[in-house]
Amino acid sequence: MIKKKCIGCGIELQFEDKNKEGYVPEEKFLMHDNLLCQRCFKIKNYGENLVNNFGREDYLKEVSESVKKSDIILPIFDIIDFEGSFTEEILDFLRDYRSIILVNKIDLMPDFIHPAEISNWIKDRLAEEDIVPDDIAFISAKSKYGINGIIRKIKNIFPNKNVKATVLGVSNVGKSSVINLLLGNNRITTSKYSGTTLKSINNKIPNSEITIIDTPGLIPDGRVSDFISAESGLKLVPAGEISRKTFKLEENQVFMFDAFCRFKVLGNELLESGSKPIFSAYTSKSVKFHVTREERVKDLLNGSFFEILQESEKENYFKNEFVNCEVEIEENEELAIAGLGWINVKRGPLKIKLEIPKQVKVIVRPSIFKNKK
Ligand SMILES: Nc1nc2c(ncn2[C@@H]2O[C@H](COP(=O)(O)OP(=O)(O)OP(=O)(O)O)[C@@H](O)[C@H]2O)c(=O)[nH]1
Ligand SMILES: [Mg+2]
């Protein structure tokens, strides 16, 4: 029996079971090549969010197998959700293989930031993990920025050689979108929902000796966006430039990061000048920030002020185990919350008591953007 693969998601095609992955009608299977499975057809034409039966281990195995066959890896990180996309599994691959790091979605950065300004920040984060990539490229699949540079960088490292390059990263960072741009067509299925690519997909980049391999998205731990429904999760993914708002809080005031987490400002006697800490919060435009008193928190959470989580979903979210932790964030540092956003301290230190689901990844890091405005 001949084997054929879906060009959109990489799954092996079959015509026996309509409800299983990889289905195409028998006559199509027999008569045509370059086929799209039924699932890809529905995603491409109707934007549906179709769940599949693959899990974390299946994806990791698939990625590992492609990586083993490659000369170089191209891990993609999301500049806006860097912590959500910077995972141990990817760092492990980076320790073992040559790499060009692709930092995607730079179209979502505030307009006063130039990518070159964050180059050292990325290098420092990698150096902390003992990783020195061959190169770093700042790109945007949306605005097509930096795409040709990727091919140039690969050719610089491997002149006159057939090269296999595997693109990898957590789900939804834009792996397939970037590869489609490199190929100059839209053959691979992309979607706003996670879990679109199911298997590795090999393609030759036109007019080059480079085989570029797409892989399924690795499933990260600890993104707030993964604790809620796919539909609500989309609201945490910025559709345009991220929003930024600056705050100066009194002691005991509570800052609410929508309904997702909150913190109380602890005594500000830490500021020698006697002035209050100032911080900016960054997130997607649909996420609401709110400052209130502790007594009001419950009512706000129970009411309809915060709009992303509707009733039953809110109930489920608050079934997660929450922790209370004291955190001190120095001036020019920030508190990053995977899958949600970050708090950048402009005048500090900012000492807080943070209440957040235990499983969410929270990190204090040096500021990604220098404060200018
Ligand atoms: N704003 C912005 N959105 C992007 C960019 N690149 C990709 N996206 C969007 O991110 C979403 C995911 O894109 P995909 O290319 O399907 O991502 P993927 O990494 O292949 O996802 P999986 O196959 O599920 O692992 C889509 O809604 C894209 O339009 C970018 O540079 N900027
Ligand atoms: Mg994909």
Side-chain angles (χ1 to χ4, degrees), residues 74-337:
L74 312 180
I76 303 197
F77 298 126
D78 177 339
I79 190 63
I80 299 302
D81 187 21
F82 192 82
E83 307 313 325
S85 57
F86 194 69
T87 68
E88 275 307 317
E89 286 162 347
I90 299 175
L91 295 177
D92 281 345
F93 288 129
L94 276 165
R95 289 191 187 96
D96 294 341
Y97 290 86
R98 300 194 73 167
S99 62
I100 299 171
I101 305 277
L102 307 181
V103 183
N104 192 30
K105 305 201 184 179
I106 62 161
D107 56 286
L108 300 173
M109 294 203 308
D111 61 5
F112 58 92
I113 304 290
H114 190 275
E117 293 176 42
I118 48 179
S119 179
N120 284 336
W121 185 92
I122 306 265
K123 281 184 193 152
D124 290 347
R125 289 295 301 269
L126 291 163
E128 273 174 32
E129 307 288 341
D130 292 325
I131 292 162
V132 183
D134 285 82
D135 213 333
I136 300 180
F138 291 89
I139 59 172
S140 163
K142 186 162 180 193
S143 69
K144 305 192 166 92
Y145 178 92
I147 300 297
N148 290 332
I150 301 173
I151 301 177
R152 228 176 14 249
K153 285 176 195 292
I154 298 176
K155 286 184 173 166
N156 276 344
I157 301 172
F158 301 101
N160 313 317
K161 179 180 179 292
N162 282 321
V163 183
K164 274 202 173 128
T166 293
V167 175
L168 60 103
V170 301
S171 56
N172 242 14
V173 288
K175 297 176 292 300
S176 304
S177 304
V178 170
I179 294 179
N180 278 341
L181 289 172
L182 292 170
L183 300 176
N185 58 42
N186 277 326
R187 61 192 278 132
I188 304 182
T189 308
T190 63
S191 96
K192 57 188 178 180
Y193 299 106
S194 287
T196 307
T197 309
L198 300 179
K199 292 276 179 180
S200 301
I201 310 173
N202 295 25
N203 281 290
K204 191 99 183 274
I205 297 180
N207 308 317
S208 80
E209 301 303 313
I210 304 166
T211 300
I212 192 97
I213 304 167
D214 195 1
T215 56
L218 295 164
I219 300 179
D221 288 321
R223 290 196 295 204
V224 171
S225 44
D226 294 327
F227 284 67
I228 57 182
S229 69
E231 282 310 322
S232 302
L234 288 180
K235 304 209 172 91
L236 305 193
V237 179
E241 189 183 311
I242 45 166
S243 83
R244 175 180 56 131
K245 233 174 148 183
T246 300
F247 297 86
K248 189 156 89 178
L249 259 54
E250 307 282 344
E251 186 176 344
N252 281 331
Q253 276 189 313
V254 176
F255 176 86
M256 303 185 76
F257 214 129
D258 212 285
F260 301 105
C261 64
R262 57 187 178 271
F263 60 76
K264 186 162 103 178
V265 177
L266 300 177
N268 54 15
E269 68 279 359
L270 281 167
L271 292 200
E272 281 166 16
S273 58
S275 42
K276 299 178 183 66
I278 298 178
F279 63 88
S280 293
Y282 292 80
T283 189
S284 152
K285 288 211 159 66
S286 347
V287 176
K288 267 191 193 166
F289 300 129
H290 190 65
V291 175
T292 191
R293 286 169 286 116
E294 187 130 40
E295 313 84 82
R296 291 273 301 131
V297 168
K298 234 184 184 153
D299 282 349
L300 283 164
L301 289 177
N302 288 333
S304 52
F305 178 72
F306 296 116
E307 293 163 351
I308 297 180
L309 296 183
Q310 297 300 314
E311 278 317 309
S312 64
E313 208 180 352
K314 201 162 25 179
E315 224 170 87
N316 281 337
Y317 184 76
F318 285 103
K319 278 184 192 151
N320 285 301
E321 183 187 348
F322 275 66
V323 286
N324 263 301
C325 43
E326 284 191 16
V327 190
E328 190 170 322
I329 313 150
E330 303 291 332
E331 210 158 285
N332 294 320
E333 279 186 345
E334 58 206 12
L335 177 86
I337 302 164

